[in-house]
């Protein structure tokens, strides 16, 4: 039986561990935290992410936990439309999923062939030509035919194998929250839940998770929102951070004030937005009879402005699983690098272009952005949506 070690139990690590186990691999899943638990927020999945989950055999329950994102436009803080809402083709329609629901689906997909070890911090990596790949925590070493580094933006595996790729700040921070339906504000019929508002270095996006009243107070449904601001993450406690958000977004179009007022400090999750610059020169490292691959944020951490982080991680997992079915090690490791690196570079380039648009500040820059956004944003988003929609798992 072939063996694999997956480092990191985020969404990418869980997805690839389950896929390998279902293909007959013996899988050891290592997680540095003492518990495997998701953030109590949500994630947008574009068609490529949905398609990847289906290729991984995890699509059966997706419809039960996913909510289509309504057609929304982009407004300024004064309410003026920069981009009018327009219909999204069905094959490019993203969905939003509560992270805890997604986590449960991925955990259920692990089966009985995955050994999960928590509280393990990987400190050493071996990817030499004359020996099986391995990782170690300073006390124990685990060898396998394949090592999958899915250990996130601060990946220790990537740091040792691709030291040329560094983690840098994207120059902004994000706050996320899900307001459960039993606490969500009741909005007028002409006031849509979903939408995007773009200001001078500030952005606010909201979406509905399911229908109000579809289940009880324990439901994970509700209203999901994301606020992004240029600058460093805030060190204050959540109560102070929430007060700052209410001040920063005061006077912005409805229902932003209502959503922030309905948010409890315990709902708030802050994230410093960081990225890899440059991207690693390789995503696959042959080693002896097998090799090491980089997956998810360990390979291509990027700002979340186009919602492609989780989607690319699922693409990585689906691609690797497909190549391992069709090719022998270490050929599959080489093929994985050849297929995934250009794909990731394209999406990262699009994300950085959108990041530059969103971070515009100053009167001249804002006037130029607002004047161009009506043409630029739809074109850029359309290109990104087309890139997402066109992806197919390799066969």
């Amino acid at each position: 039986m072939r063996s694999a070690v997956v480092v990191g139990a985020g969404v990418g690590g869980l997805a690839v561990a389950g896929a390998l186990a279902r293909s007959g691999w013996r899988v050891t899943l290592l997680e540095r935290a003492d518990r495997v638990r998701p953030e109590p927020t949500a994630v947008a999945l574009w068609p490529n992410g949905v398609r990847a989950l289906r290729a991984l055999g995890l699509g059966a329950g997706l419809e039960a936990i996913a909510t289509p994102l309504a057609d929304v436009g982009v407004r300024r803080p004064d309410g003026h439309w920069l981009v009018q809402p327009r219909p999204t083709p069905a094959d490019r329609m993203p969905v939003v999923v509560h992270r805890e629901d997604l986590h449960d689906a991925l955990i259920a997909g692990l089966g009985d062939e995955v050994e999960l070890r928590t509280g393990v911090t990987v400190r050493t990596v071996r990817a030499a030509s004359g020996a099986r790949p391995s990782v170690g925590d300073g006390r124990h070493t685990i060898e396998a035919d394949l090592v999958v580094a899915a250990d996130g933006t601060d990946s220790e595996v990537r740091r040792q194998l691709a030291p040329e790729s560094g983690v840098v700040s994207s120059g902004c921070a994000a706050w996320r929250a899900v307001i459960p339906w039993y606490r969500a504000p009741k909005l007028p019929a002409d006031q849509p839940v979903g939408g995007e508002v773009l200001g001078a270095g500030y952005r606010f996006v909201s979406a509905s998770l399911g229908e109000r009243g579809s289940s009880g107070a324990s439901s994970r449904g509700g209203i999901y929102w994301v606020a992004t601001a240029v600058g460093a993450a805030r060190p204050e406690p959540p109560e102070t951070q929430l007060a700052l958000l209410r001040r920063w977004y005061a006077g912005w179009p409805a229902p932003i004030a209502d959503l922030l007022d309905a948010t409890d400090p315990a709902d708030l999750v802050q994230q410093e937005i960081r990225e890899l610059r440059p991207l690693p020169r390789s995503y696959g490292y042959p080693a002896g009879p097998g090799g090491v691959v980089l997956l998810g944020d360990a390979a291509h951490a990027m700002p979340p402005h186009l919602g492609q982080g989780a989607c690319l991680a699922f693409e990585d997992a689906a691609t690797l699983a497909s190549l391992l079915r069709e090719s022998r090690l270490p050929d599959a490791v080489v093929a994985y690098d050849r297929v995934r690196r250009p794909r990731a570079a394209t999406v990262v380039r699009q994300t950085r272009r959108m990041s530059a648009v969103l971070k515009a500040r100053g009167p001249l820059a804002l006037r130029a952005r607002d004047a161009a956004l009506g043409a630029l944003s739809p074109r850029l988003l359309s290109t990104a949506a087309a890139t997402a929609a066109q992806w197919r798992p390799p066969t």
Side-chain angles (χ1 to χ4, degrees), residues 14-235:
L14 291 172
V16 75
L20 292 176
R22 291 189 295 276
S23 298
W25 288 64
R26 185 176 68 254
V27 181
T28 303
L29 177 59
L30 307 179
E31 169 56 39
R32 68 167 66 96
D34 292 332
R35 293 175 56 194
V36 178
R37 54 185 175 185
E39 294 178 346
T41 61
V43 60
L45 297 177
W46 288 72
N48 54 320
V50 173
R51 195 171 292 122
L53 285 174
R54 289 173 177 160
L56 290 165
L58 298 170
L62 186 60
E63 291 185 2
I65 61 175
T67 303
L69 282 174
D71 302 325
V72 296
V74 182
R75 290 181 289 172
R76 289 194 315 221
D78 62 6
H80 175 78
W81 286 103
L82 294 172
V83 181
Q84 290 282 349
R86 59 189 68 193
T88 302
D91 64 340
R92 298 186 184 182
M93 178 76 71
V95 298
V96 62
V97 182
H98 200 292
R99 282 187 177 271
E100 292 178 350
D101 288 332
L102 181 60
H103 174 83
D104 289 349
L106 294 172
I107 288 290
L110 291 180
D112 299 327
E113 297 301 324
V114 177
E115 179 189 0
L116 173 60
R117 302 183 189 177
T118 58
V120 178
T121 300
V122 169
R123 304 183 188 279
T124 61
V125 183
R126 184 180 68 198
S129 59
R132 297 175 78 204
S134 68
V135 295
D137 64 356
R139 296 178 301 169
H140 306 98
T141 298
I142 306 174
E143 290 187 346
D145 299 308
L146 177 69
V147 172
V148 180
D151 46 344
T153 304
D154 295 310
S155 169
E156 178 63 22
V157 178
R158 184 201 63 246
R159 190 188 70 80
Q160 295 190 30
L161 297 183
E164 74 281 357
S165 183
V167 180
V168 300
S169 171
S170 296
C172 53
W175 290 262
R176 295 178 170 85
V178 172
I179 308 169
W181 281 127
Y182 68 88
R183 221 180 340 107
K186 294 185 178 180
L187 305 175
D190 60 349
Q191 196 174 101
V193 170
E196 176 176 348
V197 186
L198 186 60
Y202 294 86
R203 183 192 191 197
F204 195 97
V205 181
S206 57
S208 173
L209 273 171
E211 295 292 333
R212 182 190 292 271
S214 59
S215 50
S218 62
S219 169
R220 288 172 179 163
I223 300 177
Y224 171 53
W225 62 259
V226 183
T228 308
V230 171
R234 305 294 302 197

Side-chain angles (χ1 to χ4, degrees), residues 279-280 283 299-300 302 312 339-352 387:
L279 294 178
Y283 287 168
H300 39 65
M302 71 188 83
L312 278 192
V339 172
R340 292 309 300 161
R341 216 156 26 94
R343 167 67 174 173
T346 296
V347 177
V348 168
R349 185 168 57 250
Q350 293 174 343
T351 300
R352 288 175 180 169
T387 301

Side-chain angles (χ1 to χ4, degrees), residues 299-312:
H300 39 65
M302 71 188 83
H305 305 311
L306 291 179
Q308 282 294 317
C311 294
L312 278 192

Side-chain angles (χ1 to χ4, degrees), residues 192-358:
V193 170
E196 176 176 348
V197 186
L198 186 60
Y202 294 86
R203 183 192 191 197
F204 195 97
V205 181
S206 57
S208 173
L209 273 171
E211 295 292 333
R212 182 190 292 271
S214 59
S215 50
S218 62
S219 169
R220 288 172 179 163
I223 300 177
Y224 171 53
W225 62 259
V226 183
T228 308
V230 171
R234 305 294 302 197
E236 296 92 348
E239 293 82 0
T240 305
Q241 293 179 29
L242 190 54
L244 285 171
L245 290 171
R246 289 167 178 160
R247 188 175 73 197
W248 292 344
Y249 293 94
W252 282 44
I256 293 176
D258 292 331
L259 297 181
L260 291 175
D261 286 343
T263 301
D264 189 275
D267 301 330
L268 201 62
V269 176
Q270 181 185 209
Q271 176 193 9
E272 179 188 9
I273 298 177
R274 300 176 298 155
E275 59 188 286
L276 294 183
R277 284 184 181 261
L279 294 178
R281 287 195 292 263
S282 178
Y283 287 168
Y285 302 84
V292 181
V293 299
L294 305 180
L295 183 147
D297 284 347
H300 39 65
M302 71 188 83
H305 305 311
L306 291 179
Q308 282 294 317
C311 294
L312 278 192
F314 293 142
E315 282 189 24
D316 291 343
T319 300
L320 181 62
S322 177
L323 292 172
L324 289 170
R325 288 193 297 267
E326 301 297 328
S327 306
R328 299 179 61 183
L329 287 170
D331 294 342
V333 173
V334 176
Y336 175 82
D337 172 60
R338 185 177 64 248
V339 172
R340 292 309 300 161
R341 216 156 26 94
R343 167 67 174 173
T346 296
V347 177
V348 168
R349 185 168 57 250
Q350 293 174 343
T351 300
R352 288 175 180 169
R353 289 181 62 198
M354 180 57 73
S355 180
V357 171
L358 296 177

